Amino acid sequence: MAITTEDPPPRPTRALLPAAGSGRRARPLTRSTPKCLLEVDGEALLARAVRTVRDQLGINEVIVITGEDDERVRAALSGYPGVSLSFVRCKDPSIGLARGMLLAEHLLEGPFVTLLPDEVYVGANHAELPPLASGALAACGAIADADPRLIARNYALDVGDDGRVLRLEEKPAAPAPGWLGCGTFVFSPGIFDAIRRAGTGGAPVELVDVLDREVRAGARVDLLELQGDYVNVNTPGEWHRATDLVRSPGPRSISVIVPALNEEASIARVVAD
């Protein structure tokens, strides 16, 4: 009897970086600078994402979705070494991340990676991420045992024992400690049909909502377990935290003094915070 072996799933050769957001929550930092061009330790957030794609994932074909600051973004990445860059202009970022991705569909024929450029990773394991499994619609990067307050600002994942994602929830109101969803994804081209099924007109269409809808309908979405430190830069405070993290990686010792006289009713919550 002949023995056949399946070809391994192809690794993505292209990356999509959506960088059209207005960054209103990061004001005053973004009053005159696009959020994707905010610098962390002298390097723009978008440039960090391009470097991660190039150095950690070995991808040198990168598509960037730009917004109203299209010319500034192009100029910031001009001459970026070792990368072939294509740009797609989104004239209306209010359509949401998912609908914005449709603008780049014609440039993405096979599996591709998406990184959200407003996220900072330190010591992450992107170089170890596996290819997208055969038959999977997507894989989502997430960090285990995360602080519920961080999950509430991102998205939550319910993951089965087999590593498949069972549910996704954008900015859950009262999450428990668990999986913190991050902006690292691997997609099959089927994601574009999934986005269209979710709606192409009217209200914005968000990517996490699309994935949750597809999972509930039976689609396969896998977990990509990420390690290291992570910051989603949406506010000035998170930008400061990301800057400190990049400049001082590794474990640090912090001393905290908490005045607690007659505070027995609230001290447990303060210590937890």
Side-chain angles (χ1 to χ4, degrees):
M1 181 176 65
I3 298 176
T4 60
T5 58
E6 294 184 1
D7 292 331
R11 287 191 171 274
T13 59
R14 296 183 181 183
L16 177 65
L17 307 182
S22 62
R24 287 189 178 91
R25 284 183 291 169
R27 290 182 178 175
L29 296 175
T30 55
R31 188 167 291 152
S32 60
T33 301
K35 186 170 72 165
C36 67
L37 297 185
L38 290 178
E39 292 189 355
V40 172
D41 198 28
E43 184 178 29
L45 292 171
L46 181 56
R48 288 182 62 87
V50 173
R51 182 163 55 83
T52 297
V53 164
R54 182 194 64 186
D55 296 350
Q56 298 296 312
L57 295 168
I59 295 174
N60 58 18
E61 294 186 53
V62 180
I63 298 97
V64 181
I65 300 178
T66 65
E68 60 183 14
D69 294 292
D70 174 75
E71 293 184 4
R72 294 182 63 182
V73 171
R74 288 172 181 259
L77 294 178
S78 63
Y80 201 93
V83 175
S84 173
L85 289 161
S86 301
F87 296 91
V88 177
R89 173 79 182 276
C90 178
K91 296 181 180 179
D92 181 13
S94 68
I95 62 177
L97 172 58
R99 284 179 60 196
M101 289 172 59
L102 290 174
L103 300 172
E105 180 179 8
H106 63 289
L107 298 172
L108 297 161
E109 297 178 353
F112 64 95
V113 170
T114 289
L115 260 65
L116 302 188
D118 57 359
E119 299 186 339
V120 172
Y121 299 88
V122 176
N125 56 322
H126 284 94
E128 302 169 7
L129 298 185
L132 189 65
S134 178
L137 173 68
C140 301
I143 297 173
D145 302 321
D147 186 326
R149 292 170 300 178
L150 297 179
I151 299 174
R153 295 198 288 269
N154 284 33
Y155 69 96
L157 298 92
D158 183 11
V159 180
D161 293 337
D162 59 355
R164 296 194 182 185
V165 177
L166 305 176
R167 293 290 182 271
L168 302 93
E169 183 178 2
E170 180 84 25
K171 295 180 174 59
W179 290 103
L180 166 65
C182 303
T184 294
F185 302 93
V186 183
F187 291 116
S188 78
I191 189 62
F192 298 115
D193 286 334
I195 293 170
R196 279 187 283 268
R197 284 192 289 269
T200 56
V205 177
E206 297 301 339
L207 187 56
V208 170
D209 295 335
V210 171
L211 291 172
D212 182 61
R213 173 192 172 110
E214 293 297 313
V215 164
R216 291 173 184 269
R220 175 174 176 174
V221 174
D222 291 336
L223 172 74
L224 298 173
E225 184 171 358
L226 296 176
Q227 300 170 357
D229 294 305
Y230 163 86
V231 182
N232 186 352
V233 180
N234 276 315
T235 66
E238 289 163 341
W239 175 76
H240 285 295
R241 180 169 176 262
T243 299
D244 290 343
L245 186 64
V246 170
R247 289 177 177 174
S248 304
R252 289 173 289 174
S253 176
I254 301 175
S255 299
V256 180
I257 299 174
V258 181
L261 181 63
N262 298 326
E263 298 290 349
E264 55 267 40
S266 62
I267 187 61
R269 179 169 57 83
V270 172
V271 170
D273 285 345

